[in-house]
Amino acid sequence: MTKIWRFLDTGKNPGVYNMALDEAILEILEQGKTAPSLRLYQWSPACLSLGRNQGLKTINLGSCKKLGIDVVRRPTGGEAILHWDELTYSVIMPRENPSLSLKELYFLINRALIEAFYSLGIKTELHCLKESLKNPNCFLSAGLADLCCHEKKLVGSAQLRTRGAILQHGSIIISHKPEILFSVFRFPSKKLKKEEFSTFSKKATSLSEIIGEINLTDLKKVLLAGFQNVLNLEFFEGKLTGDEILETEKLLEKYKKLNWEIK
Amino acid sequence: MRNKDCEKYPKNLKYTKTHEWLKIEERKITLGISYFAQEQLGDIVYVELPKIGMEVKEQKMFMEIESSKAVSKIYSPCKGKIVAINKKLGENPGLINSDPYGEGWLVEIEIMSLVLPDTLLDSICYENFLKEEIKDD
């Protein structure tokens, strides 16, 4: 049966707002006061988003400040992502009965992304880097949440699961800026930084590296079609509800702090 | 590493439909997540434990677990106060995977009322509930 979801294109916003809004939609959905949603958005100013439980030791906050890069903590897991030239998707959906396990949802959404990229002429696959890698930089780590092209990571995703709803968001890289990316992390030695920098192009890729210039409108269109076909959805172009706007304003205070605790 | 020999759903415990287990000893409840839950989550890499003394409310979130880049919220099945936390999980969150009913326990809750929610399941009912979930899948 076709399900009706809302499509939101919320444009470019600061990281704090982007994360507060994702969580606000999740909360309001859990209360049954809004529709399941696919949201597409970008970040301005550029922003480094950290995983929910990621330590700050490996992050060069001074360098971020100097470069005008915001830093925000995501409500989801995983490692740091530099949102510079990229498009972020978020899916906020109820936990139906039976609820999709975290692996099943990664798989399902990745299938939608695979279909979207295929219509742009890009062949992507689920199993990318052969070894499971742990690194504070999301695009140097690999796991079941990731989508790759020619064994290089193209999309990194993460989830937040509450009792009644799930948020999955992910970063689709349009182009990487390795010099900037490597300046926002701290490395134990210059040697390691050099090594990781030199292998980065073998482990991570971007849409522009694969097919050249990308038209953002076209990218959004194929993503919408991919989700529509794979998840059997019909979208309506929606707006934020009053409840969502109010909840976002409340959550902004939480996301302005880099380290928040459970209350 | 998983402990293959561990009993999947011990009979002396109660379970919730959100996959927590409870060991009830008068006013003290030891809480963890079930074998099924830890399998679904995969390798657990981080546990955000509550503070000792924190008041918990029935059906309210009070801690988080991270696995496979996913943060999962854990809900309290009853009202009470956290009186102990499993500090070993800070160093070794994988204990939840390897020994979910033993070294992988999460917290101890002191309950205010001896009347527990009637939604708690015994091991047979919980296994039947899981069969239904898997069948519907």
Side-chain angles (χ1 to χ4, degrees), chain A residues 6-72:
Chain A
R6 176 179 57 167
F7 172 63
L8 288 168
D9 183 350
T10 55
K12 290 185 176 183
N13 283 291
V16 165
Y17 174 85
N18 278 335
M19 293 301 91
L21 180 54
D22 268 355
E23 189 177 336
I25 299 172
L26 181 82
E27 296 233 343
I28 302 301
L29 179 78
E30 200 161 18
Q31 293 168 21
K33 293 186 198 158
T34 196
S37 304
L38 168 67
R39 176 184 168 220
L40 297 178
Y41 57 99
Q42 291 180 291
W43 309 58
S44 180
C47 184
L48 186 73
S49 77
L50 311 179
R52 169 69 180 99
N53 298 305
Q54 184 168 15
L56 288 175
K57 267 196 302 193
T58 53
I59 308 299
N60 192 335
L61 294 174
S63 175
C64 290
K65 201 173 175 188
K66 217 183 282 175
L67 291 162
I69 296 170
D70 280 356
V71 184
V72 70

Side-chain angles (χ1 to χ4, degrees), chain A residues 19 22 39-43 47 49 74 76 79-90 109-110 113 117 138-139 145-148 153-158 168-176 205-207 219 223:
Chain A
M19 293 301 91
D22 268 355
R39 176 184 168 220
L40 297 178
Y41 57 99
Q42 291 180 291
W43 309 58
C47 184
S49 77
R74 298 189 305 268
T76 52
E79 289 79 33
I81 293 182
L82 179 63
H83 304 271
W84 187 281
D85 185 16
E86 58 92 76
L87 180 68
T88 303
Y89 76 84
S90 69
I109 290 178
N110 275 333
L113 297 175
F117 295 136
C138 177
F139 278 82
D146 306 323
L147 196 65
C148 293
K153 187 160 163 178
L154 177 66
V155 182
S157 298
Q168 179 173 321
H169 50 202
S171 173
I172 301 163
I173 302 295
I174 294 172
S175 71
H176 275 298
T205 190
S206 64
L207 290 178
L219 177 59
L223 286 169

